[in-house]
Amino acid sequence: MKFEVLTLFPEMIGQAVRTSVTGRAVKNGLITVDPVNIRDFSCNRHMRVDDYPYGGGAGMVMEPEPVFRAVAEAKRRAGENTRVIYLTPQAEVLTQTKVEEFAGESALILLCGHYEGIDERVLAETVTDYVSIGDYVLTGGELGALVLIDAVSRFVPGVLGNNESAYFESLQDNLLEYPHYTRPETWHGKKVPEILLSGDHGRVEEWRHGQSLIRTKERRPDLLRKFRRIHTIWYGAPEAGEAAEALTGALSRFGIVENYNRKTLQKRKNSLTGQDLLVLVSGRTGGDDPGAAARFRNLSGARTSFFLFADETAEDDGAAGILQSRGFCLRGADRMNFSFRSDDAVRKAALAIRNELDNMAD
């Protein structure tokens, strides 16, 4: 991943990215951070890049031409179609979903404003994305750029020691993370919860899920509008099961995956609510397939959102229509080649689902 950072204070960027996890990633060649001094593209001999605003008012405004030239140089090095992100409080606040979207790019150009801002004409001509890191004002965009670099870099393979960490942190499920404990077992009279010492991984995961819900309700109840319990059901060839497991793993730490080839599951009453999300993964089926109507006869929803992903070689068995007649609302459908499933395809599918959930909550 390559970051081109257009700034009036390149030393601020250079110093910050030489430490901690980001510094290791730079040293190991996993990410590249190139600060670009906008003053180098000034149009006058005094290297000035700002002027008084038309219409009067306090402060200065960054001139359009130096910014335009800096962006052109950054695009020459990173690629003509590279996204240009302007860090500004006049934008939607950065979310984990947006971070993961940016992580899918091979390069990003980050534009840091200063003074009263940048001439609107050059922003309209060059910027593709406007990003805020919070509803407050800073003296410049450099800290916002550093926040974005840090957040995006975590998704670059190899940057974190444990790839699971990039996905299963606070906010990935639209839930805050559960509490953590380490040695000693008793500290200042406070003991580690017994469940964490049990060795029962299933019960530990249940406890962690419950603690995430409690913590989110206490500290960020607004996030619960976006939270959905993930239920993934699959049927057909084994490749569909592999795709279902991968997709669920990219969506949630606590998702449930069930094989609806099994008759016992088809017979079991399964009622989902509006707080649930159903992901249906269908593959090629054989001649003894019972059909969608029989398979889902005991599955019902209460205006429950669902997404459908079908193997490219699978025939349309009417599953979407059957589920909609049983109380489910189709939010998205796509075809995937399960036999040649790739991490990139799974990531894009999971990102599309999260984006839709975010839009539903707004």
Side-chain angles (χ1 to χ4, degrees):
M1 167 67 83
K2 182 178 181 62
F3 298 95
E4 296 275 347
V5 187
L6 313 187
T7 172
L8 298 179
F9 300 95
E11 66 281 359
M12 184 176 178
I13 302 296
Q15 290 172 7
V17 299
R18 285 199 288 267
T19 61
S20 189
V21 175
T22 309
R24 251 191 343 263
V26 170
K27 183 178 180 180
N28 294 333
L30 300 172
I31 66 171
T32 302
V33 182
D34 289 328
V36 177
N37 193 339
I38 297 174
R39 293 188 188 279
D40 291 342
F41 302 89
S42 173
C43 302
N44 68 71
R45 59 191 177 90
H46 299 295
M47 307 300 287
R48 194 189 69 203
V49 295
D50 63 308
D51 210 331
Y52 294 102
Y54 280 120
M60 306 290 279
V61 176
M62 290 177 65
E63 298 171 349
E65 188 61 22
V67 173
F68 180 79
R69 293 180 179 184
V71 170
E73 173 61 18
K75 284 191 170 185
R76 185 188 69 79
R77 300 194 307 192
E80 190 60 34
N81 296 321
T82 304
R83 293 166 79 162
V84 179
I85 302 171
Y86 179 43
L87 285 307
T88 170
Q90 300 179 23
E92 290 188 11
V93 176
L94 184 66
T95 65
Q96 188 76 351
T97 300
K98 198 67 177 177
V99 166
E100 191 173 348
E101 179 187 321
F102 288 145
E105 304 290 331
S106 60
L108 295 171
I109 298 172
L110 309 182
L111 175 58
C112 305
H114 253 276
Y115 311 121
E116 292 303 303
I118 299 176
D119 188 294
E120 187 67 23
R121 292 167 296 182
V122 72
L123 297 179
E125 190 161 333
T126 62
V127 172
T128 60
D129 300 89
Y130 293 80
V131 167
S132 168
I133 63 166
D135 294 329
Y136 45 84
V137 179
L138 301 172
T139 56
E142 286 75 18
L143 290 176
L146 290 170
V147 166
L148 186 58
I149 290 169
D150 188 281
V152 170
S153 296
R154 296 175 67 258
F155 285 93
V156 175
V159 169
L160 297 180
N162 181 358
N163 285 334
E164 186 182 69
S165 297
Y167 288 95
F168 300 133
E169 297 280 8
S170 289
L171 304 178
Q172 196 65 32
D173 279 280
N174 285 314
L175 294 176
L176 299 184
E177 200 170 16
Y178 49 82
H180 295 278
Y181 299 87
T182 188
R183 293 180 177 84
E185 188 175 322
T186 301
W187 180 81
H188 285 200
K190 300 178 179 67
K191 295 195 66 176
V192 172
E194 289 293 334
I195 184 65
L196 299 180
L197 308 175
S198 68
D200 187 329
H201 296 297
R203 290 179 59 213
V204 167
E205 286 300 293
E206 289 179 14
W207 179 87
R208 286 173 169 171
H209 189 201
Q211 291 296 311
S212 288
L213 285 167
I214 291 170
R215 178 161 287 188
T216 305
K217 186 176 181 179
E218 290 175 347
R219 302 182 183 181
R220 288 291 305 277
D222 57 298
L223 289 176
L224 293 177
R225 292 185 296 108
K226 299 181 180 181
F227 169 66
R228 295 292 185 276
R229 290 181 292 265
I230 307 297
H231 295 260
T232 303
I233 62 177
W234 69 274
Y235 61 92
E239 291 88 350
E242 295 174 11
E245 291 282 356
L247 183 54
T248 305
L251 281 170
S252 171
R253 183 188 188 104
F254 307 110
I256 298 171
V257 182
E258 295 183 312
N259 178 359
Y260 258 61
N261 290 316
R262 297 170 56 191
K263 293 182 179 179
T264 53
L265 290 181
Q266 297 172 21
K267 294 177 181 178
R268 186 195 67 188
K269 293 285 185 181
N270 192 0
S271 300
L272 303 186
T273 70
Q275 198 67 53
D276 296 306
L277 175 70
L278 177 66
V279 179
L280 176 63
V281 180
S282 64
R284 300 183 307 278
T285 54
D288 58 347
D289 178 61
R295 177 179 288 108
F296 301 128
R297 65 186 182 277
N298 290 314
L299 179 65
S300 63
R303 296 194 58 78
T304 307
S305 298
F306 83 99
F307 290 81
L308 170 63
F309 295 92
D311 193 312
E312 289 178 339
T313 61
E315 295 183 4
D316 184 358
D317 60 359
I322 294 295
L323 288 175
Q324 289 179 96
S325 73
R326 299 196 60 79
F328 292 88
C329 301
L330 181 63
R331 299 295 183 182
D334 201 0
R335 290 271 180 172
M336 297 172 65
N337 188 333
F338 295 160
S339 298
F340 298 95
R341 178 179 52 79
S342 68
D343 291 340
D344 188 54
V346 169
R347 185 191 63 80
K348 288 180 179 178
L351 186 58
I353 291 175
R354 277 199 289 276
N355 271 319
E356 181 63 23
L357 291 178
D358 286 351
N359 293 333
M360 287 164 54
D362 291 339

